[in-house]
């Protein structure tokens, strides 16, 4: 039941908060809620409110991310392996991914001099993330026998990130970016430890993109 609710929430978030009209893919195109697509950005797509000013934001508030697996991921995993991925396994991995996201984003923002807070204020930018299309190439789940899975890449995920004013709740921007884990020239044994390490690497790359964008805003104002 919990997995069904998560899947439903995922559809609502991607179809509502983060929907990107198929026809609006050229720079300057307008989204359903009045955001414009930037011509160049660090992420695959960045949509912003025209004339939005991010220079007043010095701190961040981060909502716990929704995490949703790619369509049919569980079925495909169970078809190609004798090890069964259960709903409880998926919930554990989703919770782990959300935990890593909060840890890494907080760590990278604070390292760059940005405070992460829990209360809204005029200088607080509210981040509302969702990690969707999550694909774990070799989930480390309980097995009745001894087995090892070797992969060249741990998987991939897509980030949908909304930027909102923490006081008014007004949306200022949204970013969409797809990342793959590092491709290796040789097969590596996939474990829960290696999967978490690769997840941290992907999320750190997203956090670095955010820090670089905010630093650029600061430098322009300086």
């Amino acid at each position: 039941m919990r997995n069904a609710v998560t899947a439903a929430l995922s559809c609502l978030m991607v179809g509502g908060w983060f929907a990107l009209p198929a026809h609006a893919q050229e720079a300057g195109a307008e989204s359903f809620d009045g955001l414009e697509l930037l011509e160049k950005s660090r992420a695959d797509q960045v949509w912003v409110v025209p004339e939005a000013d991010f220079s007043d934001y010095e701190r961040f508030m981060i909502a716990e991310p929704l995490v949703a697996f790619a369509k049919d991921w569980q079925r495909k995993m169970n078809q190609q392996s004798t090890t069964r991925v259960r709903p409880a396994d998926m919930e554990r991995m989703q919770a782990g991914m959300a935990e890593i996201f909060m840890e890494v984003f907080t760590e990278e923002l604070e390292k760059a001099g940005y405070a992460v807070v829990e209360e809204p204020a005029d200088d607080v930018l509210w981040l509302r993330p969702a990690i969707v299309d999550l694909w774990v190439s070799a989930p480390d789940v309980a097995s009745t026998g001894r087995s090892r899975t070797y992969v060249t890449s741990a998987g991939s995920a897509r980030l949908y990130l909304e930027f909102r004013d923490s006081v008014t709740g007004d949306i200022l921007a949204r970013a969409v970016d797809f990342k793959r884990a590092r491709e290796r020239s040789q097969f590596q044994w996939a474990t829960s430890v290696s999967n978490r390490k690769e997840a941290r690497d992907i999320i750190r790359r997203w956090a670095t993109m955010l820090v670089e964008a905010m630093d650029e805003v600061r430098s322009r104002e300086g």
Side-chain angles (χ1 to χ4, degrees), residues 34-220:
L35 277 65
E36 290 186 359
L37 179 63
L38 293 183
E39 182 177 358
K40 295 181 179 180
S41 62
R42 290 175 173 81
D44 293 337
Q45 289 184 331
V46 174
W47 298 72
V48 298
V49 171
E51 307 304 324
D53 183 6
F54 292 88
S55 62
D56 292 334
Y57 296 103
E58 297 289 337
R59 300 183 293 165
F60 290 86
M61 187 169 68
I62 308 174
E64 183 175 348
L66 170 83
V67 180
F69 283 91
K71 182 180 179 181
D72 293 334
W73 174 83
Q74 181 187 23
R75 179 179 61 81
K76 291 178 180 177
M77 286 294 107
N78 288 339
Q79 283 178 343
Q80 67 186 34
S81 174
T82 56
T83 301
R84 306 295 294 178
V85 177
R86 302 163 301 170
D89 296 319
M90 297 176 69
E91 292 176 9
R92 173 176 52 80
M93 286 184 278
Q94 287 168 321
M97 194 73 172
E99 179 184 3
I100 292 171
F101 183 95
M102 297 295 288
E103 288 177 357
V104 172
F105 260 66
T106 299
E107 178 183 316
E108 292 300 311
L109 285 168
E110 290 182 342
K111 187 168 67 175
Y114 299 96
V116 177
V117 299
E118 297 184 357
E119 299 295 332
D122 290 339
D123 66 338
V124 174
L125 189 60
W126 183 19
L127 305 181
R128 296 177 68 182
I131 299 173
V132 299
D133 294 336
L134 176 61
W135 187 274
V136 182
S137 299
D140 189 10
V141 297
S143 174
T144 55
R146 291 187 176 183
S147 64
R148 291 187 177 187
T149 304
Y150 294 84
V151 297
T152 56
S153 173
S156 58
R158 191 182 313 276
L159 174 67
Y160 287 80
L161 182 61
E162 277 192 349
F163 301 78
R164 289 180 177 267
D165 183 275
S166 65
V167 175
T168 66
D170 292 340
I171 187 167
L172 302 173
R174 71 167 58 86
V176 184
D177 193 74
F178 179 79
K179 286 279 187 287
R180 294 186 185 276
R182 291 173 296 174
E183 289 285 344
R184 302 180 183 275
S185 59
Q186 296 181 334
F187 284 94
Q188 301 288 325
W189 178 23
T191 66
S192 59
V193 174
S194 65
N195 284 340
R196 286 180 66 88
K197 183 177 183 298
E198 294 296 337
R200 292 183 69 87
D201 179 68
I202 287 177
I203 293 171
R204 196 176 305 280
R205 286 151 63 189
W206 283 327
T208 299
M209 289 165 58
L210 172 60
V211 168
E212 289 175 349
M214 293 303 297
D215 284 350
E216 186 176 313
V217 170
R218 273 183 169 181
S219 66
R220 286 201 302 263

